[in-house]
Amino acid sequence: MTNLETPDIKNIENGDFRYLLRGQLKSLKDNLQFRKRVVCDPLCKTDTVEIERYPSSAEVIIDGRKMINFASNDYLGLTSHPLITEALKEGIKLYGAGTGASALVTGHTTAHAKLEEYLKELTGKEKVLLLNSGFAANQALIKAHLSLGANLILDRLVHASMQQALFNGKNFYRYEHNNLKKAERLLQKYENTSIFTEGVFSMDGDSPDLQQLVSLVRKYHSYLVLDDAHGFGACGISGQGTPAKQGVSFSDIDIYMATLSKACGLCGAFIAADGDFIDYLVNTSKEYIYSTSAPAYIAHGLLTSLKIINGEEGNALRKHLNELTDYFRKEARNLPGNVILLPSSTSIQPLIIGDNKRLMEISVFLKSKGILCGAIRPPTVPAGTARLRITITAAHDRNDITRLLQTLYDAFNSIT
């Protein structure tokens, strides 16, 4: 078949790959689930806009137009911090542009070792392992537990990186989101269990009760695996994430995973755990063994990023972020229309619209006014809960939040 518009009947009956492909794409478009990339650049010198300061993730350029960016996970606004960019330049001079090999060959440099040591000291764990992304880290964690014969108990809303890794597994069970009574019933029923949950859920912005969860896993001799991708750096004393925010020690979390691509402003992820488990991952995890290591200059820059996060500047950035979030939540209660603001105290502020069509109309309206928010639709979120995923960062100021609120007010009044 050469013409996708007029497929051959015989090929249709045989399930021709290209015909089925076209059908799947049409279905996505019909259901307003089709996604397209946009070219998005930080606000710096362009053909239409010129500024004299370093770029900020709070403002972006799309199609030559300046927009206030409420779709970024750069929670502390560190992606273009001058000290970090200088550290990256220094790292390139010291280590070059790439590693050229996996960590088990020649890709594990002094910079990687220093970063792992810093994170080990920060978390108090026996060992730390760097991976290229949070997705890869969660895949490695799920697959390791499955291969060791554990029964996996997961919050129903854990990240897609965990869900996808379960496809070939059998011994896994889900409990209703943040319903620890349901989790306990599963713990009572099964032995050799590991509970997987998130510190801050990426689409809802809420958190589990970690103190209660720690009590449960100790009571039933289970293991607790925490994905704190959206909490690490952004909350807690010295940016030590959701455990610190809730008064829980890293020692109470058996396996701690966090990304280095959100509050830290760069890329990658790490797993902190006991030495035996990290050694097992080093020797069995395909995500680690068969991936070229991230450039050493990234690890070098991350050491500077973490020192900022853990110091006084980091404390000031988190204080500013919390003040902006509180201001948004207070004023958002006055928004018109049939929308629901989920009970999140974090940077992630989801507004449930419900209907895909209305969500996309609101998203287009916001963009027309220079406001960029995440328009999240199923299957990323459950059917009927399409939402604006608004992320507030420390790079924003109060005027940005006021403009967002006014534009949302206008959008909800205009689109019914």
Side-chain angles (χ1 to χ4, degrees):
M1 182 176 68
T2 58
N3 188 340
L4 293 178
E5 296 296 338
T6 56
D8 182 278
I9 295 297
K10 180 179 178 180
N11 284 334
I12 295 175
E13 292 173 349
N14 291 336
D16 183 277
F17 167 80
R18 289 167 294 178
Y19 176 79
L20 295 173
L21 172 64
R22 190 61 174 245
Q24 289 291 323
L25 291 174
K26 183 178 184 303
S27 177
L28 288 171
K29 291 176 181 177
D30 289 345
N31 290 302
L32 298 177
Q33 294 176 318
F34 187 77
R35 292 163 171 81
K36 293 191 295 183
R37 296 177 297 171
V38 297
V39 177
C40 180
D41 294 315
L43 181 60
C44 54
K45 185 175 181 179
T46 69
D47 292 337
T48 57
V49 180
E50 184 173 350
I51 58 175
E52 296 180 353
R53 57 187 174 81
Y54 66 87
S56 166
S57 62
E59 298 169 307
V60 293
I61 298 292
I62 297 178
D63 294 331
R65 183 175 183 183
K66 173 184 169 181
M67 292 193 179
I68 303 178
N69 181 14
F70 289 101
S72 169
N73 292 329
D74 180 24
Y75 298 127
L76 297 184
L78 295 182
T79 54
S80 298
H81 193 290
L83 292 180
I84 297 173
T85 56
E86 286 303 313
L88 293 172
K89 293 175 185 177
E90 181 183 62
I92 290 176
K93 291 180 181 179
L94 290 171
Y95 301 101
T99 55
S102 67
L104 290 181
V105 184
T106 59
H108 187 65
T109 69
T110 298
H112 295 99
K114 286 182 177 179
L115 179 57
E116 288 184 348
E117 183 65 23
Y118 186 97
L119 290 166
K120 187 186 83 168
E121 294 298 321
L122 180 68
T123 60
K125 295 298 186 184
E126 289 181 357
K127 288 187 178 181
V128 163
L129 187 68
L130 297 173
L131 288 100
N132 287 354
S133 70
F135 197 101
N138 277 338
Q139 292 267 301
L141 286 171
I142 292 287
K143 291 175 184 177
H145 282 77
L146 289 174
S147 68
L148 292 168
N151 287 303
L152 278 61
I153 298 175
L154 304 96
D155 187 293
R156 188 167 290 278
L157 294 187
V158 292
H159 193 264
S161 52
M162 296 189 212
Q163 307 273 9
Q164 194 275 337
L166 293 169
F167 285 165
N168 295 322
K170 295 181 180 179
N171 302 326
F172 67 90
Y173 313 91
R174 295 187 178 95
Y175 60 91
E176 183 181 330
H177 178 51
N178 280 340
N179 189 328
L180 299 189
K181 289 184 178 179
K182 297 286 182 67
E184 183 170 15
R185 291 174 193 170
L186 292 171
L187 288 168
Q188 291 171 336
K189 188 174 182 179
Y190 300 101
E191 297 180 347
N192 186 26
T193 55
S194 294
I195 286 192
F196 287 73
T197 189
E198 298 188 25
V200 176
F201 284 86
S202 59
M203 291 299 121
D204 285 31
D206 59 351
S207 301
D209 184 333
L210 287 183
Q211 291 193 5
Q212 185 179 350
L213 197 49
V214 167
S215 296
L216 283 179
V217 297
R218 297 296 170 259
K219 179 179 178 180
Y220 293 97
H221 307 288
S222 181
Y223 287 87
L224 177 57
V225 183
L226 183 68
D227 170 356
D228 204 21
H230 297 271
F232 182 71
C235 63
I237 299 171
S238 299
Q240 294 183 35
T242 311
K245 182 179 180 180
Q246 295 194 21
V248 171
S249 170
F250 279 122
S251 63
D252 293 320
I253 311 296
D254 296 290
I255 300 172
Y256 183 82
M257 192 288 288
T259 57
L260 302 164
S261 54
K262 296 177 176 65
C264 292
L266 291 170
C267 61
F270 71 93
I271 297 170
D274 65 77
D276 286 344
F277 186 77
I278 296 299
D279 288 344
Y280 183 76
L281 290 179
V282 169
N283 284 276
T284 65
S285 170
K286 292 179 174 60
E287 289 77 14
Y288 184 74
I289 296 170
Y290 299 112
S291 292
T292 298
S293 292
Y297 72 84
I298 298 292
H300 189 75
L302 279 164
L303 285 168
T304 296
S305 175
L306 287 166
K307 289 172 184 175
I308 291 171
I309 286 171
N310 301 149
E312 287 305 311
E313 184 175 357
N315 290 334
L317 289 170
R318 281 183 291 276
K319 181 175 183 292
H320 175 61
L321 176 57
N322 291 335
E323 289 171 351
L324 292 180
T325 302
D326 290 344
Y327 171 56
F328 172 80
R329 290 195 63 80
K330 178 182 177 182
E331 298 300 323
R333 297 169 187 160
N334 300 319
L335 290 172
N338 185 25
V339 295
I340 300 172
L341 177 64
L342 291 185
S344 164
S345 63
T346 69
S347 301
I348 302 167
Q349 293 296 314
L351 280 171
I352 304 297
I353 307 301
D355 176 72
N356 285 4
K357 181 175 182 293
R358 185 173 181 233
L359 171 66
M360 296 313 297
E361 290 174 348
I362 290 170
S363 178
V364 169
F365 181 95
L366 293 175
K367 288 178 183 177
S368 74
K369 304 298 183 182
I371 299 289
L372 181 66
C373 298
I376 311 299
R377 291 151 283 167
T380 303
V381 293
T385 68
R387 67 196 64 186
L388 289 173
R389 181 184 182 269
I390 297 165
T391 49
I392 298 168
T393 77
H396 292 121
D397 59 29
R398 193 178 178 94
N399 289 334
D400 294 330
I401 307 302
T402 299
R403 181 173 166 187
L404 168 65
L405 289 161
Q406 183 58 56
T407 309
L408 286 170
Y409 188 93
D410 295 339
F412 296 146
N413 271 333
S414 302
I415 300 168
T416 57

